[in-house]
Amino acid sequence: MLIVYESKTGFTKRYADMLAAKTGLRVFRVKELSRITQDEEVIFLGWMKAGKIQGLDKLRKYNIKAVCGSGTGRTAEPDTETVAARNKIKGIPFFYLRGGCFPLRELKGTDKIMLSMFLKMLKSRKDKDERLEEAITIIENGFDGVKEENLEPVLEWLKTK
Ligand SMILES: Cc1cc2nc3c(=O)[nH]c(=O)nc-3n(C[C@H](O)[C@H](O)[C@H](O)COP(=O)(O)O)c2cc1C
């Protein structure tokens, strides 16, 4: 088993490195895929963009045994089932890892545009609950949700392998 990850701003990378340190498994970025063979078992970690796990499509021909998605929500949004269906990973164990983000003003390019539009949409909602208020604060001010304990379910699953 080895670890492959895709990370844009470093939060998912921290989980990948933490997992490597805890398990002794080798860790690769998606960019380094040519260094591994397609039959090697892979645990994949990717950041989530509008519900889509980034980098995963590049591994479709690889031997993926588990997938982790990192996002800023408290839990996978809208829910684990939908994420599994949208990312075509039904039947493969999926683990949600709470990642983090930098404040919106520090972002650039299309990510900034996408999140600005999302923020505007959230702010315009009349039915704001606590989770929604939290999402607004996170986008505006940034957030770091990376914690070792979040990897526990992944480590438990690995013990069964
Ligand atoms: C354009 C954009 C879209 C995002 N969409 C989602 C999303 O759908 N669900 C979610 O939980 N997080 C979403 N996020 C937050 C990132 O997935 C989260 O910050 C992640 O931990 C970043 O990982 P990285 O630092 O490894 O790139 C989005 C971030 C950006 C910039």
Side-chain angles (χ1 to χ4, degrees):
M1 186 84 69
L2 37 86
I3 301 162
V4 178
Y5 72 92
E6 178 80 41
S7 176
K8 184 152 188 190
T9 52
F11 294 92
T12 314
K13 179 184 191 311
R14 276 164 59 201
Y15 276 121
D17 289 341
M18 226 182 250
L19 190 60
K22 282 184 172 288
T23 58
L25 297 174
R26 287 179 303 150
V27 58
F28 299 88
R29 296 195 76 112
V30 168
K31 264 191 193 162
E32 300 173 308
L33 264 187
S34 59
R35 292 174 57 194
I36 71 172
T37 57
Q38 289 189 358
D39 56 335
E40 272 177 293
E41 295 184 335
V42 168
I43 171 161
F44 180 77
L45 290 78
W47 69 284
M48 295 172 71
K49 182 170 172 173
K52 194 103 180 24
I53 301 164
Q54 302 299 295
L56 184 58
D57 281 344
K58 298 203 174 97
L59 276 90
R60 292 290 175 196
K61 289 191 182 127
Y62 285 75
N63 191 5
I64 300 176
K65 292 294 176 198
V67 173
C68 305
S70 115
T72 47
R74 286 184 197 175
T75 52
E77 285 168 352
D79 56 75
T80 304
E81 273 283 292
T82 312
V83 169
R86 264 190 210 157
N87 290 280
K88 302 186 180 75
I89 49 169
K90 275 191 172 169
I92 300 175
F94 171 74
F95 302 95
Y96 179 75
L97 299 171
R98 198 172 198 192
C101 59
F102 290 99
L104 183 62
R105 64 178 176 280
E106 291 178 24
L107 303 184
K108 292 190 186 81
T110 49
D111 283 355
K112 185 172 192 164
I113 296 166
M114 267 180 84
L115 272 194
S116 303
M117 278 162 44
F118 186 56
L119 181 65
K120 214 170 156 185
M121 189 272 286
L122 292 181
K123 282 185 161 176
S124 71
R125 293 249 305 251
K126 300 253 165 358
D127 58 335
K128 288 192 207 66
D129 59 9
E130 191 218 338
R131 272 180 88 121
L132 214 138
E133 294 287 2
E134 185 187 60
I136 292 172
T137 310
I138 284 174
I139 294 171
E140 288 182 329
N141 303 330
F143 173 73
D144 183 355
V146 178
K147 284 194 202 130
E148 260 187 29
E149 67 198 53
N150 293 343
L151 281 174
E152 277 305 321
V154 185
L155 293 168
E156 284 302 312
W157 171 80
L158 267 170
K159 277 188 204 155
T160 68
K161 292 293 112 193

